[in-house]
Amino acid sequence: MDTDAQANDKATRETITQLHRWTDKLITFRTTRPAGYTFTPGQYARLGLPDGDSMIWRAYSLTSTPAEDTLEFYGIIVEGGQFTSRLDQLKPGDAIWLDRQVFGFMTATRFTDGDQLWMLATGTGVGPFISILRDPEAWRRWQHLVLVHCVRHKEELAYDEELRRMQAAAPAGVENPGTLHLLQSVTRDEADGERLHGRITTLLESGALEQAAGLPLIVEQSRIMLCGNPAMIEETRKLLHQRGMKPVRRVNPGQFVTENYW
């Protein structure tokens, strides 16, 4: 089977332009962007790599913004992973396939009201929130942007320097921008004064998240996005339900949206 022909029926062949390794397992990479490819911050793409006579496809959140000329993705290299073992060997100039369709409904545009956007992520689940925060529209729309990123070890806090720059200064050209509250938490390392210690659900249940943000999580103003491992999402959903919050549906404005990503 001709994998080029197979991919071109549904995808475009793109080129890796940049790679950055945060750790031996965490990687950010950029690719060329095909003409006409559009997406909303928070959505994800399907990427393909050849496997003999067939193709392997995997979902990756877009961390770039719709205004950029290239596409950026963030992910983890899984030992023995069918797709990531191949991804780990790629270098600038190598080919990767991009599905022509974009996927996902976990976007901030699904909220019709509220003035606080809480983004709760574990591990690589922070990816869609990087795209949202890089987009000036989020800073115009929300008075408060709260990013909660929970990892095992502090070296896994990818995008840390960029997020701290955002915290200090909003994107240029945005009048009366919102404020970014950056809350990072580790579960295996000791607390160091800069970061919280513990799982998101533990910090939420104890009130530590709200205390650290200086903001209350309330039905009237808070809108929440959850992205990460399924256990965190399920537990957090229960805690939000206890506070009278509901998921966003077509006929129900709701207060939170979720996406499993691990």
Side-chain angles (χ1 to χ4, degrees):
M1 182 184 297
D2 186 336
T3 54
D4 281 8
Q6 179 195 26
N8 287 334
D9 288 341
K10 62 180 299 185
T12 60
R13 181 179 178 179
E14 302 303 323
T15 303
I16 300 286
T17 61
Q18 265 183 317
L19 291 120
H20 175 76
R21 296 181 184 273
W22 304 96
T23 69
D24 60 339
K25 299 298 182 184
L26 298 174
I27 184 172
T28 286
F29 57 99
R30 282 188 175 267
T31 74
T32 51
R33 177 176 179 172
Y37 188 85
T38 61
F39 65 94
T40 300
Q43 291 189 301
Y44 64 90
R46 288 180 74 243
L47 300 176
L49 289 172
D51 178 27
D53 290 338
S54 60
M55 294 288 292
I56 307 169
W57 295 95
R58 293 292 185 269
Y60 275 80
S61 288
L62 289 143
T63 52
S64 49
T65 69
E68 295 180 70
D69 294 332
T70 58
L71 301 175
E72 186 181 275
F73 305 92
Y74 173 54
I76 187 169
I77 303 298
V78 179
E79 186 174 354
Q82 189 180 20
F83 183 91
T84 60
S85 294
R86 290 166 173 77
L87 177 65
D88 196 29
Q89 301 303 313
L90 295 183
K91 59 187 183 301
D94 288 343
I96 194 167
W97 281 261
L98 173 72
D99 195 311
R100 297 180 189 276
Q101 183 178 349
V102 69
F103 303 88
F105 300 96
M106 199 190 67
T107 64
T109 55
R110 295 189 65 192
F111 298 114
T112 58
D113 57 3
D115 61 15
Q116 304 172 6
L117 181 64
W118 289 70
M119 296 163 280
L120 279 55
T122 56
T124 53
V126 75
F129 302 143
I130 298 300
S131 179
I132 289 170
L133 289 171
R134 283 174 167 175
D135 186 11
E137 186 55 36
W139 298 78
R140 298 186 184 100
R141 164 67 178 85
W142 302 95
Q143 184 178 349
H144 295 282
L145 296 152
V146 185
L147 176 63
V148 181
H149 188 197
C150 182
V151 297
R152 295 169 302 174
H153 304 286
K154 61 183 180 181
E155 59 264 26
E156 297 167 357
L157 290 166
Y159 297 96
D160 176 63
E161 291 186 9
E162 181 179 354
L163 290 168
R164 292 184 183 276
R165 289 196 299 269
M166 290 181 183
Q167 190 176 30
V174 180
E175 295 184 8
N176 301 314
T179 300
L180 174 60
H181 306 258
L182 178 60
L183 308 181
Q184 298 170 321
S185 180
V186 292
T187 59
R188 303 276 179 91
D189 292 342
E190 296 294 327
D192 59 8
E194 289 186 47
R195 301 171 182 91
L196 300 169
H197 181 270
R199 298 164 62 235
I200 287 177
T201 48
T202 303
L203 297 170
L204 178 60
E205 196 165 18
S206 70
L209 280 187
E210 290 157 283
Q211 182 178 359
L215 295 168
L217 264 170
I218 55 177
V219 172
E220 293 78 14
Q221 296 177 335
S222 307
R223 301 297 172 260
I224 305 111
M225 305 180 76
L226 310 173
C227 189
N229 72 72
M232 179 277 287
I233 289 178
E234 183 59 29
E235 290 180 44
T236 305
R237 284 172 62 96
K238 292 177 182 177
L239 293 173
L240 295 178
H241 278 298
Q242 291 171 12
R243 292 171 177 242
M245 297 183 176
K246 300 177 181 179
V248 173
R249 305 294 187 198
R250 288 186 178 180
V251 295
N252 177 13
Q255 289 79 40
F256 65 87
V257 295
T258 68
E259 185 169 273
N260 291 344
Y261 198 96
W262 68 105

